[in-house]
Amino acid sequence: SNQSNLPKAVIDKTVMMARQASTVVGTLRTSVPSMSTPFTNSNAADLNLSSDFSKALGVNEEQFEEMFEEENGTVPPKTVPQGKKPPSDTILKDILENTKTNKSADPVVKPEPVEKIVSQERVKKSAKKAIRPPLSAFKAAPKLSDTAKERKVPSSRFSRVANFGGLFVGLGVGALSEVTKRGLGLKKKSDDNNPSLIGENPFLTEENAERIVDRLCRARGAALKLGQMISIQDNSFIDPKIQKIFDRVRQSADFMPSWQMKKVLVSELGEDWQDKFEQFDDKPFAAASIGQVHKGKLKDGREVAMKIQYPGVATSIESDINNLMTVLKIWDLFPKGVYIDDLMRVTKKELNWEVDYEREAKCSTKFKELLQDHSMLEVPAVVPELSSRQVLTTEFIEGIPLDRCTELDQETRDQICTEILSLCLTELFDWKFMQTDPNWANFFYNPDTGKLILLDFGASRSFSAKFVDDYIRIIKSASEGDREGIKHWSVESGFLTGYETKTMENAHVDAVMILGEAMAFDDNFDFGAQSATMRIFNLIPVMAKHRLTPPPHETYSLHRKMSGSFLICTKLNGKVNCKRLFDDIFARYQFGKECEFWQD
């Protein structure tokens, strides 16, 4: 391609990132080929080399890890998969070998289908006549996603830095490839009828998104957690093609090998940890950003789920987020007006809560106590003798995640949605204590018992009475169509300063009014037919341009939970009388009352 076709800003940023990556890798391995010279027509011609370089560097990250562990005398068993050549001595040889032989197509991520045991005719019957399919109609046995791989978690500073160094290089050259294709007319622009926040950004292509996912799934930890947050957003905010790729991150991260997992268990629970088990599955049935989950059976007959934290994750939150943010900031992925530094401070604080499994055990026990008399909601009991700061064991309860409940009858889906929204309001306004992670996998439904099982309480937090008092007044004003009330309490709570332009003021009030529509509609609100998401999306550019202050820090986690709960109801096409739920909450709300059992 002709370099003159490429925007200078893209070339400059890519060269800068390449130099940074070269410096990082060069300090770790002296045989890295030089990246200090500018791109020319000759060395930019084969733009497909970026993926080969990234893969080659990925192989050598494991060499960095092994070098580090050799120094510390903790070398793991070294094996080479059957039919696969061992890594070559230098990155350059890997690149040349891959360039000759590796011409594989772009990976395709396919969501795992639900087994349709129940006939379509039965599903289409009315709610009164519909027969709820039993748990056996679904794949009851939990399992990892088909895309999950067994890969060692890079726990040393060397390997984690190299992981992001490879990402810098791959993304930079990938962006050059994208701009070249567009400049030569080899690629069409995205559909104007399906806008997204990323627009025509040459950096966030489908190929680069796959690179990001691969690196995040390899490293896991805080950066992967941010990627999972992207996957639960509505596709009006995130390009649907990118969202599908990130959906792999939500469903399952890669899992660590058995020897590394057992090393964590010995460190946390002692050499005799396995003596308490009658059976223990070495392969996990779930893997997420911070840990993976194994099923076991204790000698007293109880079936349990044991969550084991990845090594190095707790100590790398700061560096992992900073590395990922460097990528996102350089390529201007965040919309103007987003107070990203403020957001990252809050995110780091919350992630430090999440990696503390002792704190999560206390939160889980408290939620079980609060919901002990509930007819539908259930929280698994913690097993204290098999729990620590990096290991959390609870009783195992069967069920299916909510994204596999779309085939259930309307009555059951409405009931699930009603309980999720009722819980959300109760957590905030009754308890002022909320589990703020709305990931689909944190809610399981058992059709046999009619129970909705709540999981993963690491993101639980409390809210101050002052914040919740102001917030419920904002929602109440929206439900009554009181625009002046919304403006007044938005200033009191810190959403507005009182000095905004009329344009910003109107956009903010309009957005709150749209959110309040569900609370104002005195009947079953049809989430499947609502257009609130797109209407708020259209207001974002105005608010981003004219906003004078970041929102209250409590809203980052609160709005994540509320928007996630609304999105669940939308995906399930739920119909809920939200006004009745909110009116009941408001009637019993106690102003000025702090959370009595938890303070963050």
Side-chain angles (χ1 to χ4, degrees):
S1 62
N2 190 340
Q3 183 174 320
S4 62
N5 292 332
L6 307 179
K8 186 176 184 300
V10 173
I11 297 175
D12 291 344
K13 286 182 178 180
T14 304
V15 172
M16 178 176 66
M17 293 173 72
R19 287 173 175 166
Q20 288 178 349
S22 176
T23 301
V24 169
V25 178
T27 62
L28 303 177
R29 191 173 181 87
T30 58
S31 61
V32 176
S34 174
M35 294 287 292
S36 58
T37 56
F39 284 95
T40 64
N41 288 343
S42 60
N43 61 24
D46 186 6
L47 293 173
N48 289 327
L49 186 63
S50 62
S51 61
D52 297 321
F53 185 91
S54 185
K55 291 175 183 175
L57 187 58
V59 170
N60 283 276
E61 288 166 23
E62 299 178 3
Q63 292 180 332
F64 297 145
E65 178 78 7
E66 290 164 11
M67 291 165 58
F68 177 78
E69 291 181 337
E70 284 173 2
E71 294 174 3
N72 291 274
T74 58
V75 182
K78 191 172 182 180
T79 60
V80 178
Q82 186 175 3
K84 189 173 183 179
K85 293 187 291 185
S88 54
D89 294 334
T90 65
I91 293 177
L92 182 57
K93 288 182 180 179
D94 285 339
I95 296 173
L96 295 175
E97 188 66 23
N98 286 333
T99 305
K100 293 176 182 178
T101 61
N102 187 4
K103 299 296 181 181
S104 59
D106 291 338
V108 178
V109 179
K110 296 182 178 179
E112 183 180 346
V114 176
E115 292 181 352
K116 297 183 178 179
I117 307 298
V118 183
S119 66
Q120 292 296 327
E121 289 77 12
R122 180 178 296 177
V123 174
K124 292 179 181 179
K125 287 184 179 181
S126 64
K128 290 184 179 180
K129 296 181 180 179
I131 299 176
R132 181 187 300 160
L135 184 61
S136 58
F138 299 85
K139 290 183 178 178
K143 56 174 286 189
L144 288 166
S145 164
D146 292 337
T147 58
K149 307 171 187 175
E150 180 183 290
R151 287 200 287 190
K152 182 179 60 175
V153 179
S155 57
S156 73
R157 178 180 63 88
F158 294 100
S159 53
R160 295 192 78 84
V161 169
N163 186 71
F164 284 97
L167 182 60
F168 282 142
V169 174
L171 295 179
V173 184
L176 281 172
S177 175
E178 176 68 14
V179 174
T180 302
K181 291 175 183 177
R182 293 180 186 180
L184 297 176
L186 301 177
K187 188 164 185 177
K188 297 179 181 179
K189 293 186 177 182
S190 61
D191 187 355
D192 292 337
N193 294 325
N194 186 26
S196 67
L197 287 181
I198 64 170
E200 293 297 323
N201 193 323
F203 167 76
L204 197 49
T205 62
E206 187 169 335
E207 292 81 7
N208 268 354
E210 181 62 29
R211 289 186 180 96
I212 294 173
V213 169
D214 181 71
R215 292 289 163 163
L216 297 189
C217 285
R218 179 193 297 271
R220 281 145 280 194
L224 176 56
K225 189 73 177 181
L226 293 179
Q228 289 179 329
M229 292 177 183
I230 294 177
S231 74
I232 62 173
Q233 300 301 312
D234 187 272
N235 61 16
S236 298
F237 291 87
I238 301 296
D239 190 297
K241 294 180 180 178
I242 305 302
Q243 187 187 39
K244 287 180 181 178
I245 295 175
F246 273 102
D247 193 54
R248 174 198 160 188
V249 177
R250 179 183 65 80
Q251 292 186 33
S252 183
D254 295 332
F255 58 98
M256 56 183 163
S258 179
W259 68 265
Q260 194 175 32
M261 172 270 294
K262 291 179 178 178
K263 185 178 177 181
V264 175
L265 290 178
V266 169
S267 175
E268 291 295 309
L269 303 178
E271 295 281 353
D272 62 344
W273 68 270
Q274 208 158 2
D275 293 346
K276 301 179 178 67
F277 285 88
E278 180 180 312
Q279 178 185 344
F280 182 82
D281 295 340
D282 282 350
K283 185 173 181 179
F285 66 81
S289 56
I290 295 173
Q292 60 190 44
V293 190
H294 296 253
K295 185 180 180 182
K297 185 176 182 180
L298 303 183
K299 289 188 174 179
D300 61 11
R302 286 180 294 170
E303 289 190 324
V304 297
M306 176 179 274
K307 182 163 66 171
I308 306 168
Q309 192 173 121
Y310 302 127
V313 164
T315 57
S316 64
I317 291 175
E318 185 83 18
S319 60
D320 280 4
I321 290 183
N322 288 343
N323 284 329
L324 184 60
M325 292 312 300
T326 298
V327 177
L328 301 181
K329 281 184 175 180
I330 285 178
W331 291 94
D332 301 322
L333 278 185
F334 290 99
K336 302 299 182 183
V338 173
Y339 290 81
I340 190 60
D341 292 332
D342 191 65
L343 172 61
M344 287 303 102
R345 279 193 297 270
V346 174
T347 301
K348 290 174 184 177
K349 179 181 179 180
E350 293 179 353
L351 285 172
N352 275 294
W353 290 341
E354 290 198 49
V355 297
D356 184 352
Y357 284 0
E358 291 176 337
R359 179 184 185 277
E360 180 178 350
K362 293 177 182 177
C363 292
S364 180
T365 301
K366 189 61 189 180
F367 267 92
K368 186 171 182 64
E369 175 188 328
L370 292 168
L371 296 169
Q372 60 184 343
D373 297 325
H374 202 284
S375 60
M376 185 174 177
L377 302 181
E378 184 174 5
V379 177
V382 173
V383 182
E385 63 270 25
L386 287 171
S387 299
S388 68
R389 193 171 180 84
Q390 293 187 340
V391 177
L392 178 60
T393 305
T394 66
E395 62 178 328
F396 180 87
I397 302 178
E398 288 189 324
I400 54 175
L402 291 190
D403 55 356
R404 297 172 63 186
C405 292
T406 54
E407 296 174 23
L408 297 177
D409 59 273
Q410 185 68 49
E411 181 182 23
T412 301
R413 286 184 281 120
D414 290 348
Q415 186 180 19
I416 291 173
C417 293
T418 298
E419 292 299 339
I420 286 177
L421 291 181
S422 177
L423 175 64
C424 188
L425 295 175
T426 299
E427 288 175 292
L428 180 61
F429 298 122
D430 281 349
W431 304 337
K432 298 182 177 68
F433 181 63
M434 174 181 277
Q435 189 273 54
T436 62
D437 185 355
N439 194 314
W440 289 87
N442 291 341
F443 302 90
F444 273 63
Y445 179 69
N446 188 321
D448 293 347
T449 64
K451 293 280 189 177
L452 186 62
I453 301 111
L454 310 180
L455 305 172
D456 197 343
F457 295 89
S460 302
R461 60 158 299 164
S462 61
F463 295 91
S464 69
K466 170 65 169 64
F467 171 78
V468 181
D469 287 354
D470 292 340
Y471 198 86
I472 198 171
R473 288 181 173 119
I474 293 174
I475 301 299
K476 182 63 173 176
S477 298
S479 70
E480 296 176 343
D482 181 4
R483 296 180 65 89
E484 284 301 315
I486 294 174
K487 176 185 173 183
H488 172 78
W489 293 112
S490 293
V491 173
E492 286 293 314
S493 60
F495 283 99
L496 301 175
T497 64
Y499 298 98
E500 282 79 10
T501 63
K502 202 67 177 176
T503 300
M504 171 60 195
E505 180 184 300
N506 287 334
H508 171 80
V509 174
D510 287 345
V512 176
M513 287 288 291
I514 293 171
L515 291 174
E517 288 177 356
M519 309 301 177
F521 187 65
D522 194 12
D523 201 348
N524 286 339
F525 184 80
D526 189 348
F527 281 90
Q530 57 84 25
S531 60
T533 301
M534 182 55 68
R535 285 183 287 152
I536 292 176
F537 175 78
N538 291 333
L539 292 171
I540 288 177
V542 177
M543 292 190 287
K545 180 178 180 180
H546 296 280
R547 182 179 292 280
L548 298 180
T549 184
H553 67 86
E554 296 94 338
T555 61
Y556 292 116
S557 53
L558 172 59
H559 286 174
R560 180 174 68 239
K561 173 62 177 282
M562 294 186 71
S563 63
S565 299
F566 272 55
L567 182 57
I568 288 173
C569 294
T570 301
K571 296 291 186 182
L572 294 181
N573 290 310
K575 298 177 181 179
V576 181
N577 193 321
C578 302
K579 178 175 172 57
R580 184 180 304 165
L581 293 177
F582 179 73
D583 287 349
D584 288 346
I585 284 282
F586 191 81
R588 65 175 183 261
Y589 184 75
Q590 298 180 25
F591 288 92
K593 184 179 180 181
E594 297 287 351
C595 179
E596 297 178 340
F597 50 82
W598 197 278
Q599 294 294 327
D600 286 315

